[in-house]
Every structure is written in structure tokens, then in C-alpha cells.
Amino acid sequence: MTSRDIDTLTSWLDDARAAVFFGGAGVSTASGIPDFRSAAGLYASQGPGGRAPEYLLSHDCLMDQPAEFFAFHRANLVHPDAQPNPAHTGLAELEARGRLVAVVTQNIDGLHQKAGSRVVHELHGSVERNHCLGRGRHRFTLAQIPEEPVVPSCPQCGAMIRPDVVLYGEALDEGVVAASVAAVQHADVLLVGGTSLNVYPAAGLLHYYRGGRLAVVNLSETPMDHQADLVIHAPIDEVLAQVCRRLFG
Ligand code: OAD
């Protein structure tokens, strides 16, 4: 990461009227939440019983083997003690000071909201929200779900409670996709950070961007690097901390 790269990104965000951030698991690694596809990521090892993590995070697993699903989900995707890092707080500050209009995230950890971001489009849902599968579709926060029994059930109707996260084999929420597409389409600066851009349809949303200021900040190479106007291979938390220091002191 060169000082010139930071200068460029800083001046783009300073001029921006509708900047959008599009991010993934790399945004939360500095908060102690592992990503999926790095060497230390969740997909680097097999799940319990030799099952693929992708299966343990699937709709089929939730329905056929709910105890296995919830054990894996709680152990690996629920991080109630994680705190926002400078990537989350930097984005919240950029929004508060009128430099950023939306965060589009594939993360389900709720850390953008915890940092103070207001417009957050959660493409893959959130572990913070849960609902039962009964007719009443009763809603629960994460804190309202007891740790036992392993498969939570609704105190009102007895049906299983599931997290509002998009599992393998499930479709993205149409309203969230539409809002994300609109944000990306109208963005003047699109900052992409902490995502391998391997997962569709989420990664496909970047193709709606029509501006000329696409920045990719990621530790490793991404498939969008060759189309980006600025590529920085460095931690997104450090980059955003530096940008905010230059912009706001
Ligand atoms: P990945 O694990 O695929 O990619 C995370 C990327 O972040 C990697 O390319 C890392 O090099 C990079 N990275 C890690 N720490 C970083 C840091 N501090 N700064 C910058 N870059 C960093 O995660 P996602 O792209 O988010 O979906 O994965 C997308 C989806 O795949 C997830 O939402 C999840 C998963 O299957 C579902 O569960 C539906």
C-alpha cells in the first residue's frame, strides 16, 4: 500500500456524493471473526463428522439435521462478543459525515450496525434476527434465543426458530438485492473490500456499477482487480483508518 494509493482513495471519497462500500468477511477478520476462503478460513477445514462446511450451512442440513446445523452455526457464525474494528467504524464515520451513502455486505455479523452505520444492505441476512417456522413467524433477537436446547423452538408455537441468514440452497431476499443494485447503480465511487468475490449472485452486483472510480482493497487478488481503477492489497481496516485520519483528522 503506497501513500499515493491512500491519497487517491481519500480524494475520491472526499469528492463523493454517493459512494458505496461493498464488502465481505475480510472486513470482520480484525474483529476476530475468521473469513471463509483464506488459509485460516472456515472452509479450510472439514466440519464435524467430515462434512463440508458448505453442507453444514445449507438449507438441507437445517431441515434434515438441525442439531448438526445449529451446533456448527453457533460455534462458527455467532460471535456475540465481537466488536467493530476500524473498517466498520471508518465506514460509519464516512456515512455520518456525508461521504458514503450505503454499505452492501455479505456479512451476517451485524458489526456495521454496531459501529453506527445506518444504511446497511445485508445480502446474506444477519444472525441478529431470527424467526420461527410456525404460521405466526414469531421474531426473536439473538439474545432472546437460549443456548439450550441446541435446536431452538418457539415459546409461543413450538416450531423451530431459525436465523434470518441465507443458507446454501436458498435465494437472496429480493428487496435487499433491489436496494443493493440501486445503490451500486447510482454510486459515483464504489469501494470493494475484504471479499474474494467468489460467491454469486452477490459478487455479480458489482457489474451494475457505471462509474469510473472502482477501488478494490483486499489482502489477496480478486477477479475484479483487472477492472478496478485502484487496487490496494492491504488490510481494509488499516486503509480505512488512514483514509479517515486524512479526511477528518
Ligand atoms: P471470503 O473468505 O471468500 O473472502 C474474504 C477475503 O477477504 C479474502 O480474499 C481475504 O484475502 C480477504 N481478507 C481477509 N482479511 C482481510 C483484511 N483485514 N483486509 C482486507 N482483506 C482481507 O469471504 P467473502 O467474500 O465474504 O456466504 O465470502 C462470501 C460468502 O461466502 C460469505 O458471505 C458466505 C460464504 O459462503 C454464505 O454463507 C451465504
Side-chain angles (χ1 to χ4, degrees):
M1 155 172 64
T2 65
S3 177
R4 201 156 149 197
D5 291 337
I6 300 293
D7 284 344
T8 303
L9 185 56
T10 304
S11 74
W12 287 1
L13 288 169
D14 202 15
D15 294 347
R17 274 176 296 162
V20 169
F21 179 78
F22 180 95
V27 172
S28 292
T29 51
S31 296
I33 302 178
D35 64 10
F36 296 91
R37 295 176 182 78
S38 293
L42 195 54
Y43 293 167
S45 56
Q46 287 191 329
R51 295 189 196 88
E54 288 90 335
Y55 169 70
L56 292 161
L57 298 174
S58 71
H59 180 83
D60 285 350
C61 182
L62 174 71
M63 291 303 162
D64 299 343
Q65 297 184 289
E68 284 79 358
F69 171 87
F70 280 103
F72 190 78
H73 176 78
R74 283 211 186 126
N76 296 288
L77 296 175
V78 179
H79 302 276
D81 299 328
Q83 294 302 320
N85 67 58
H88 303 103
T89 54
L91 290 165
E93 185 166 20
L94 285 165
E95 183 190 30
R97 297 192 184 231
R99 306 302 208 289
L100 186 91
V101 295
V103 168
V104 180
T105 183
Q106 298 160 88
N107 295 351
I108 58 176
D109 54 33
L111 287 180
H112 286 295
Q113 290 90 337
K114 214 170 184 176
S117 284
R118 287 165 174 271
V119 182
V120 184
H121 304 304
E122 296 172 307
L123 288 168
H124 294 161
S126 173
V127 298
E128 296 290 331
R129 299 184 298 273
N130 300 267
H131 67 272
C132 83
L133 300 182
R135 293 182 64 161
R137 219 184 136 90
H138 300 113
R139 306 201 60 81
F140 304 90
T141 64
L142 184 59
Q144 287 172 319
I145 299 180
E147 288 201 6
E148 295 290 337
V150 175
V151 180
S153 58
C154 179
Q156 294 177 61
C157 70
M160 183 165 79
I161 300 173
R162 63 158 291 175
D164 289 11
V165 300
V166 179
L167 303 174
Y168 281 95
E170 296 181 335
L172 271 54
D173 181 282
E174 282 177 22
V176 177
V177 171
S180 304
V181 166
V184 171
Q185 265 176 340
H186 295 113
D188 46 8
V189 174
L190 181 58
L191 172 57
V192 177
T195 171
S196 65
L197 297 175
N198 265 304
V199 172
Y200 281 76
L205 296 186
L206 300 192
H207 299 298
Y208 287 94
Y209 180 59
R210 294 185 292 225
R213 290 182 167 186
L214 170 63
V216 175
V217 180
N218 204 60
L219 282 183
S220 52
E221 281 181 25
T222 80
M224 285 300 280
D225 285 10
H226 65 285
Q227 287 178 47
D229 304 291
L230 176 67
V231 177
I232 303 177
H233 288 150
I236 183 72
D237 37 290
E238 287 180 22
V239 169
L240 281 169
Q242 290 198 34
V243 166
C244 286
R245 258 199 307 276
R246 289 186 195 198
L247 280 174
F248 312 126

